Amino acid sequence: MSVGIRGHLVHFPSDPSSGGSEAVQNFSDGVLIIESGRIAACGSYAALAERYQACDERYHYPDRFVLPGFVDTHTHFAQTDIIASPSPSLLHWLEHYTFPEEARFSDPNHGQVVAQFFIQELLRQGITTASVFATVHPESCEAIFQAANACAMRIIAGKVLMDQNAPDFLCDTAEGGIEAARALVERWHGRGRLRYSVTPRFIPTSSETQLRLAAALYHEIPDLHLQSHVAENEDEIAWVKRLYPKSRSYLQVYQDFGLLGPRATYAHCIWFDDDDRRLMAATQTAAAFCPTSNLFLGSGLFDLASARSHGLTVGLATDVGGGTSFSMLRTMQEAYKVAQLKGLTMTAEECFYLATLGGAKALGLDSMIGSFKPGKEADVIVINPEATALCSRRMQSTKTLSEQLFVTMMLGDERMIEQTHILGRPMQTIEPEGAAHAN
Ligand SMILES: [Zn+2]
């Protein structure tokens, strides 16, 4: 089965911040040829017209940007219903909103309803891959895997591990939590496009035994992922310091338990020193930059320039529900502003890179997704840069692609996401080109 997608193709085969004219590839009238869900060719319509016309299904999006799907490197599906709940800080947020809400996921039906909404919302936002926290309940992880699998999405998820310093109704046990995780790994890891991530919530809520067992599981099974939080908020850091007074830093505690490494992604990474950044880079551990969450909870400003200068891999993340939007365009806007406050002015290309191939790299999936390189899986989004009256008006005075991408990013939201293709197939019902004449 072959699919052709025609439009203004733009993708970012390497990091625009480190220069190189090949960092941005752009075909104003371009075509993607997709065979069995994978990119077979990417180029100009002039060069690929014949192959496009021969495709079983063709989709033509004139005057639309066609990009690789967005990658959200850190989010919590079970916090969908508490997004936009006011709180002075992280620990208050956890106690007053997160824990009571997550308790509802002991009911598998509730988990299924929320997981289905969450997956549909990702698709509406053009997010085709995400690294997702479930709750402590294995049923919640089942629910998100089932919902993602039904749409053939490439989703990474894990059951939260939490056996102390949390309400009893949300605690597993050190061994029981790992056993439940192992059962989920056996059932879901590598099934379809799904991957399992070992998911200790953060240092204070797991016992030493549980952290050791989590590390053992992560190292035992090939290609397993790991996700957690680090150095988000100063009260949280002080708490970790009380628990591990001899440790050099919060991040060092994770390292001492063996919880850093390839395919491990840590959200926030705000209150780092250069030794922490070096440790992240040396262990190939990635950072998930969560600007809307960090601003909303008043946690602090991620230092992207320092992360880059130390060779850290960084992806962008919504961190729903501490984050205030599912939209990666809105997340890019806030990332841009946080960088401004840290003395770094980003280009739109850099932000789009972080939201696509940069995120794929952070999750260790860049050989599969994130750009239009032939052989990769064809997760593709269609952006209408003139979706609102203001955007349409503002676009009239742009002269370059850079300006158009910048306006798209700064004024954009889900209204701009016109279509999301998973493995080449559109997720909202539209007739392929020429279908009306097929019979
Ligand atoms: Zn989080």
Side-chain angles (χ1 to χ4, degrees), residues 74-76 79 90 93-94 133 201 228-229 232 267-268 290 293 318-323:
H74 177 92
T75 183
H76 301 254
Q79 295 179 19
L90 169 69
W93 160 267
L94 287 174
F133 275 56
R201 170 164 240 123
S228 194
H229 300 92
E232 175 177 4
H268 310 304
C290 311
S293 169
T318 63
D319 193 26
V320 163

Side-chain angles (χ1 to χ4, degrees), residues 194-220:
L194 306 172
R195 299 283 199 109
Y196 193 82
S197 192
V198 180
T199 308
R201 170 164 240 123
F202 66 150
I203 287 291
T205 48
S206 283
S207 64
E208 294 188 22
T209 307
Q210 187 167 63
L211 293 171
R212 260 194 297 276
L213 292 171
L217 182 63
Y218 161 58
H219 292 290
E220 179 193 322

Side-chain angles (χ1 to χ4, degrees), residues 27-94:
F27 298 99
S28 57
D29 184 6
V31 164
L32 288 175
I33 305 291
I34 297 159
E35 306 277 1
S36 306
R38 289 177 186 271
I39 309 281
C42 165
S44 67
Y45 179 75
L48 292 169
E50 223 170 290
R51 286 182 73 182
Y52 174 71
Q53 293 300 339
C55 283
D56 299 324
E57 281 186 12
R58 298 184 300 281
Y59 299 92
H60 187 193
Y61 301 106
D63 306 317
R64 303 291 189 262
F65 288 128
V66 173
L67 270 75
F70 290 134
V71 178
D72 182 352
T73 58
H74 177 92
T75 183
H76 301 254
F77 95 89
Q79 295 179 19
T80 299
D81 290 341
I82 52 166
I83 191 170
S85 299
S87 174
S89 66
L90 169 69
L91 300 180
H92 177 277
W93 160 267
L94 287 174

Side-chain angles (χ1 to χ4, degrees), residues 295 301 330 332-342 344 346 410:
L295 293 170
L301 305 173
R330 285 185 188 271
M332 289 153 73
Q333 291 158 24
E334 301 308 298
Y336 175 88
K337 294 174 195 169
V338 168
Q340 284 283 77
L341 286 167
K342 297 295 278 181
L344 172 72
M346 298 175 76
M410 292 311 293

